[in-house]
């Protein structure tokens, strides 16, 4: 036995009813069906209105309702069948005019199911309309299941020839067998009672949404269909305001061990939702949010399947705090969180919770290597920002931490990002495997990008093939948009004529400090500008790395051996000099460019004359730019570097 229930919108008009008839006829090919239907949409509301109206107005309203049904009949039936069906509706209409006003609301289901039953019968199916008033009995306001189940079974068993039973939802009989109702939205409940009584193997609730959703899609666009959820979670959502299901429906189905399928009559192929004995897992997960408004407070129930970790609950609270949402109440109810917020903040709270719990795909998953100045600053900025970033793992080690990489690669997804804030010489060996595993890379590690050209090219290639990004804007000129500017020229066939990079923070500091060289160098070392071994800076090691990165960004396959380096000689340094790494177009060289790093005298008119302290400057000349592009600004600072790394993560 299958029980199929259709809501008001699924039988709203002739087109909708035809869809229902299709679905039911197909189902009846497999097994017997009990078709439970609501009134056509709006009918119950209209009947309730009529029950409180003046005689004249009542007559008009009830006439209007009859006409609506006639219109459906005129489209679904012809000839004698149309005449007969209209006649049946006319009879019900007469009874309605004579009924007690309290009973009006029960008539909507009589109209709709009469039409459905007639149509199925005319189509040749063995159909029987059964009277829910007689079969479902209420005692002191609740359903007498024992009696009702027995009656339902008796009637169904006494009609073995019948293929489709058609039953009105929502209505039942009271102790005196007088008509009563099961509460607004009660047709779902009727269906569950029929299913439980008959031990049905299928219970389908057909509606006009794709299923039970993570929240009301009218309020949060990104609401998703929940494919499976437990009876408990479904009950919890339904009893806290989710309109898709009438909460009392859950109990009969659960007691009888019948799954409840929620399906979309507008798109029957969709999978919908299944409410079942979903084993509550040890590590629970959020399943949906129901919202209900009481006066000027909104109550949000964030429902879970299984037990939610305390940390997740704290995270929810933190998210709301960050958005300044006042929590009038925040209660952990075991399998759900009950939140009360001012109505004015309800939609914001709903969107925030939904985003946090169900739109995690938008989150960047960051795996950070290196907890030095930049790494630590990055963690701080992320913690303070609103950015949707999950820090999945941190490796404090400067070199390879196998476990860290293994975890990252196991969890790889298109939104995973490996962030290298180390200054490891060897960590670059991981770049290709990481990219190939489908993980993006953001690096502030200059050493990793200034490896031999073949290795660099392999990284770029892996990134391209696996469609992941490899970003390293901070490796030269920290926060200055240097690489971006060069890459833009290179990509738009604007040939680079020269790049002059005054990017050594150490030397810029020394040269502009007006202190004697040795003293200035010592100070630079103290404030952490220099390499661990400051002679590296004087030998141009750091400048070499930067120049390699710059040149390659411009499309030049520069290697270290191609760079002419004149180390800084302490006693020859004068303040009208700058330490310049340059790349100049030169057709006589095999590469097409000449690269050098040296102290250069610059006259008063040279832009680098204006540099102060640790500032950096890059001067780019290209064919189409009539005057050079000059990028100047602060060249160091952990917070600044970190914010630029964050930009690489997010952009
Ligand atoms: N027709 C009734 C109502 O509008 C019952 C139902 O649709 O489930 O409440
Ligand atoms: Mg309903």
């Amino acid at each position: 036995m299958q029980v199929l229930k259709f809501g008001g919108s699924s039988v709203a008009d002739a087109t909708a009813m035809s869809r229902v008839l299709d679905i039911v006829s197909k189902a009846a090919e497999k097994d017997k069906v009990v078709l439970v239907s609501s009134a056509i949409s709006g009918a119950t509301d209209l009947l309730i209105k009529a029950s409180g109206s003046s005689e004249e107005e009542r007559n008009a309203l009830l006439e209007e309702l009859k006409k609506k049904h006639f219109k459906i009949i005129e489209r679904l039936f012809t000839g004698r069948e149309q005449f007969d069906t209209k006649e049946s509706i006319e009879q019900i209409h007469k009874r309605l005019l004579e009924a007690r006003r309290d009973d009006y609301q029960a008539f909507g289901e009589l109209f709709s199911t009469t039409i459905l039953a007639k149509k199925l019968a005319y189509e040749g199916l063995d159909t029987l309309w059964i009277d829910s008033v007689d079969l479902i009995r209420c005692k002191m306001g609740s359903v007498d299941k024992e009696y009702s189940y027995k009656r339902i079974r008796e009637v169904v068993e006494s009609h073995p020839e019948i293929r489709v039973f058609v039953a009105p939802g929502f209505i039942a009989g009271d102790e005196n067998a007088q008509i009563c109702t099961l509460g607004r939205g009660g047709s779902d409940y009727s269906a569950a009672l029929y299913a439980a009584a008959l031990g049905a193997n299928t219970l389908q609730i057909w509606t006009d949404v794709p299923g039970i959703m993570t929240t009301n899609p009218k309020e949060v666009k990104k609401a998703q269909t929940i494919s499976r959820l437990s009876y408990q979670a479904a009950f919890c959502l339904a009893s806290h305001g989710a309109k898709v299901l009438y909460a009392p429906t859950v109990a009969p189905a659960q007691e009888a061990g019948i799954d409840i399928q929620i399906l979309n009559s507008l798109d029957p192929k969709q999978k919908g939702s299944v409410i079942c004995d979903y084993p509550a897992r040890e590590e629970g997960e959020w399943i949906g949010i129901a919202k209900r408004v009481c006066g000027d407070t909104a109550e949000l129930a964030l429902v879970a399947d299984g037990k939610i970790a305390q940390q997740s609950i704290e995270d929810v609270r933190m998210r709301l705090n960050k958005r300044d949402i006042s929590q009038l109440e925040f209660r952990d109810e075991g399998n759900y969180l009950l939140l009360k917020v001012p109505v004015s903040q309800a939609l914001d709270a709903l969107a925030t919770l939904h985003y946090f719990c169900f739109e995690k795909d938008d989150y960047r998953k960051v795996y950070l290597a290196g907890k030095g100045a930049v790494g630590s600053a990055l963690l701080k900025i992320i913690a303070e920002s609103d950015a949707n970033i999950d820090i999945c793992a941190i490796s404090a080690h400067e070199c390879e931490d196998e476990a860290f990489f293994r975890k990252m690669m196991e969890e790889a997804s298109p939104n995973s990002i490996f962030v290298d804030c180390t200054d490891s010489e060897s960590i670059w060996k991981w770049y290709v495997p990481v990219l190939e595993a489908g993980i993006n890379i953001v690096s502030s590690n200059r050493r990793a990008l200034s490896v031999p050209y073949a290795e660099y090219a392999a990284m770029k290639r892996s990134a391209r093939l696996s469609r992941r990004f490899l970003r390293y804007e901070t490796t030269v000129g920290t926060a200055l948009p240097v690489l971006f500017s060069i890459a833009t020229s290179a990509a738009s066939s604007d040939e680079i004529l020269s790049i002059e990079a005054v990017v050594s923070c150490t030397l810029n500091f020394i040269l502009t400090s007006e202190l004697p060289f040795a003293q200035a160098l010592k100070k630079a070392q103290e404030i952490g500008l220099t390499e661990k071994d400051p002679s590296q800076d004087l030998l141009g090691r750091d400048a070499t790395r930067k120049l390699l990165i710059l040149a390659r960004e411009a499309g030049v396959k520069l290697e270290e051996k191609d760079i002419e380096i004149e180390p800084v000689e302490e006693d020859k340094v004068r303040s009208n000099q700058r330490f310049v790494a340059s790349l100049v177009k030169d057709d006589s060289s095999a590469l097409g460019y000449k690269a050098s790093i040296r102290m250069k005298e610059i006259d008063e008119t040279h832009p680098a004359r204006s540099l102060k302290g640790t500032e950096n400057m890059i001067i780019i000349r290209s064919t189409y730019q009539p005057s050079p592009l000059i990028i100047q600004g602060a060249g160091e600072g952990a917070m600044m570097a970190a914010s630029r790394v964050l930009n690489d993560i997010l952009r």
Side-chain angles (χ1 to χ4, degrees):
M1 180 65 75
Q2 315 167 77
V3 176
L4 275 60
K5 180 261 166 178
F6 294 87
S9 54
S10 301
V11 291
D13 52 31
T15 316
M17 276 208 191
S18 305
R19 273 194 293 263
V20 169
L21 294 161
D22 264 0
I23 294 169
V24 171
S25 319
K26 274 210 195 88
E29 286 168 17
K30 282 187 276 172
D31 198 355
K32 291 185 179 230
V33 174
V34 176
L35 159 56
V36 177
S37 178
S38 293
I40 66 172
S41 71
T44 310
D45 287 336
L46 185 146
L47 286 163
I48 291 172
K49 190 171 166 208
S51 69
S53 302
S54 68
E55 178 110 355
E56 198 184 334
E57 200 188 343
R58 176 204 74 159
N59 289 346
L61 285 168
L62 299 187
E63 192 60 27
E64 177 192 328
L65 187 63
K66 187 178 83 183
K67 291 236 171 78
K68 261 194 187 167
H69 288 92
F70 273 13
K71 231 172 114 191
I72 295 176
I73 294 167
E74 281 155 16
R75 291 210 32 216
L76 288 181
F77 304 81
T78 52
R80 167 137 208 100
E81 295 172 3
Q82 186 184 104
F83 181 83
D84 271 359
T85 312
K86 276 190 174 170
E87 192 46 40
S88 302
I89 294 299
E90 197 68 66
Q91 294 301 326
I92 300 170
H93 181 72
K94 280 211 185 93
R95 271 172 57 203
L96 172 56
L97 287 172
E98 284 153 20
R100 291 187 335 187
R101 292 215 168 200
D102 279 353
D103 294 343
Y104 280 13
Q105 55 174 317
F107 278 73
E109 274 70 9
L110 299 180
F111 285 125
S112 63
T113 50
T114 299
I115 298 176
L116 290 166
K118 288 267 178 201
K119 185 68 189 173
L120 287 165
Y122 286 136
E123 279 184 357
L125 274 160
D126 294 313
T127 306
L128 182 70
W129 185 89
I130 51 179
D131 188 1
S132 300
V133 177
D134 173 33
L135 302 185
I136 297 177
R137 176 60 41 92
C138 290
K139 228 161 75 183
M140 311 219 297
S142 61
V143 172
D144 177 348
K145 286 183 188 161
E146 209 187 303
Y147 176 90
S148 307
Y149 288 3
K150 197 167 134 265
R151 279 295 289 141
I152 292 170
R153 272 198 295 269
E154 272 169 16
V155 167
V156 167
E157 278 161 17
S158 64
H159 290 283
E161 77 290 0
I162 294 300
R163 202 69 191 159
V164 183
F165 296 89
V166 180
F170 183 49
I171 58 177
D174 63 13
E175 290 94 334
N176 309 315
Q178 293 298 306
I179 204 163
C180 68
T181 73
L182 300 174
R184 293 305 305 269
S187 295
D188 296 344
Y189 187 31
S190 312
L193 292 168
Y194 277 106
L198 299 168
N201 47 30
T202 304
L203 168 56
Q204 297 177 340
I205 309 274
W206 290 83
T207 157
D208 61 347
V209 291
I212 298 192
M213 315 220 21
T214 46
T215 197
N216 184 349
K218 288 187 188 128
E219 293 180 327
V220 178
K221 276 213 184 70
K222 288 209 171 166
Q224 306 143 25
T225 311
I226 308 167
S227 54
R228 277 159 65 86
L229 68 165
S230 66
Y231 292 114
Q232 193 191 27
F235 178 78
C236 198
L237 285 170
S239 55
H240 285 90
K243 293 211 179 64
V244 53
L245 186 72
Y246 186 49
T249 310
V250 176
Q254 183 171 14
E255 286 155 11
I258 302 169
D259 293 358
I260 308 172
Q261 289 169 266
I262 312 287
L263 297 160
N264 186 357
S265 64
L266 299 175
D267 188 358
K269 285 206 187 74
Q270 279 184 351
K271 280 226 172 78
S273 303
V274 180
I275 303 165
C276 54
D277 217 348
Y278 191 55
R281 275 165 294 175
E282 289 224 347
E283 248 183 80
E285 55 179 314
W286 300 119
I287 207 97
I289 315 169
K291 180 184 137 232
R292 142 168 104 180
V293 173
C294 331
D296 49 11
T297 333
E299 190 186 86
L300 302 177
L302 176 52
V303 180
D305 255 329
K307 180 131 186 66
I308 292 292
Q310 202 54 40
Q311 185 55 48
S312 306
I313 296 173
E314 283 314 309
D315 287 349
V316 165
R317 196 198 294 274
M318 200 184 70
R319 284 269 140 187
L320 294 171
N321 287 344
K322 258 192 191 168
R323 303 265 328 157
D324 282 330
I325 291 165
S326 28
Q327 297 139 55
L328 311 172
E329 203 170 317
F330 188 102
R331 233 167 47 217
D332 180 0
E333 296 277 356
N335 69 320
Y336 69 100
L337 280 183
L338 190 80
L339 309 172
K340 286 191 181 155
V341 302
V343 156
S344 59
Q345 293 188 316
L347 286 181
D348 190 11
L350 187 61
T352 303
L353 291 177
H354 193 272
Y355 194 85
F356 178 68
C357 299
F358 306 111
E359 297 168 43
K360 281 267 182 183
D361 284 353
D362 291 4
Y363 273 60
R364 308 285 200 286
K365 290 165 45 186
V366 162
Y367 298 80
L368 172 68
K371 257 185 104 176
V374 178
S376 308
L378 179 65
L379 289 175
K380 188 160 181 275
I381 291 181
I382 290 176
E384 285 166 1
S385 85
D386 244 352
N388 297 305
I389 292 177
D390 273 347
I391 306 287
C392 299
I394 301 173
S395 155
H397 306 295
E398 291 284 285
C399 52
E400 293 101 281
D401 175 351
E402 287 254 11
F404 168 82
F405 284 102
R406 219 173 305 119
K407 173 180 161 66
M408 173 165 61
M409 304 223 266
E410 264 163 27
E411 298 172 355
S413 73
N415 50 348
S416 301
I417 306 173
F418 165 46
V419 180
D420 178 5
C421 289
T422 70
D423 55 11
S424 159
E425 296 260 6
S426 49
I427 203 166
W428 65 270
K429 294 207 172 100
W430 286 97
Y431 279 28
V432 165
V434 162
L435 289 164
E436 282 175 351
I439 297 163
N440 305 285
I441 299 182
V442 169
S443 178
S444 66
N445 178 7
R446 195 171 300 139
R447 288 174 166 80
L449 273 303
S450 50
V451 288
Y453 185 80
E455 311 291 357
Y456 166 87
M459 294 176 194
K460 287 282 200 180
R461 187 165 175 274
S462 302
R464 201 176 56 246
L465 291 180
S466 52
R467 296 180 195 199
R468 294 297 177 267
F469 57 76
L470 167 61
R471 296 175 183 155
Y472 43 90
E473 182 61 73
T474 46
T475 54
V476 185
T478 312
L480 304 179
V482 174
L483 298 178
F484 172 78
S485 305
I486 294 175
T488 311
S489 293
S492 51
S493 73
D494 181 12
E495 196 183 22
I496 304 270
L497 301 175
S498 73
I499 298 174
E500 278 180 284
V502 196
V503 287
S504 168
C505 292
T506 303
L507 280 144
N508 290 350
F509 177 80
I510 294 170
L511 294 166
T512 61
S513 74
E514 290 175 11
L515 291 171
F517 191 96
Q519 226 174 304
L521 179 61
K522 195 155 166 274
K523 198 156 173 212
Q525 198 177 355
E526 276 165 19
I527 58 178
L529 287 180
T530 65
E531 297 279 309
K532 281 187 194 110
D533 168 10
S535 69
Q536 292 279 309
D537 289 298
L538 307 184
L539 287 170
R541 288 294 309 138
D542 194 46
T544 299
R545 294 189 192 106
K546 288 173 180 163
L547 188 55
L548 284 170
I549 297 172
L550 286 171
R552 289 166 181 179
E553 206 65 15
V556 182
K557 297 177 180 173
L558 192 70
E559 296 281 12
E560 206 175 320
K561 64 168 176 38
D562 303 320
I563 306 176
E564 222 181 279
I565 305 174
E566 287 175 27
V568 181
E569 285 177 73
E570 197 177 321
D571 43 354
K572 289 193 185 152
V573 168
R574 266 160 297 132
S575 64
N576 68 341
Q577 292 181 318
R578 292 289 178 269
F579 196 51
V580 183
S582 59
L583 181 79
V584 180
K585 199 165 152 44
D586 176 2
D587 291 329
S588 69
S589 87
L591 271 179
Y593 285 86
K594 237 170 70 186
S596 65
I597 295 175
R598 66 163 66 90
M599 292 300 286
K600 249 183 158 176
E601 302 219 339
I602 49 173
D603 62 35
E604 297 288 341
T605 61
H606 194 284
R609 243 345 230 280
S610 68
L611 281 180
K612 278 180 225 62
T614 58
E615 278 182 347
N616 277 198
M617 178 178 285
I618 319 271
I619 303 159
I620 304 166
R621 292 187 174 77
S622 62
T623 317
Y624 298 144
Q625 286 175 16
S627 54
L629 171 66
I630 302 173
I631 304 169
Q632 173 179 8
E636 63 87 43
M639 277 319 239
M640 198 177 71
S643 88
R644 193 73 196 190
V645 168
L646 180 59
N647 186 271
D648 272 354
I649 292 172
L650 295 176
R651 80 182 143 100

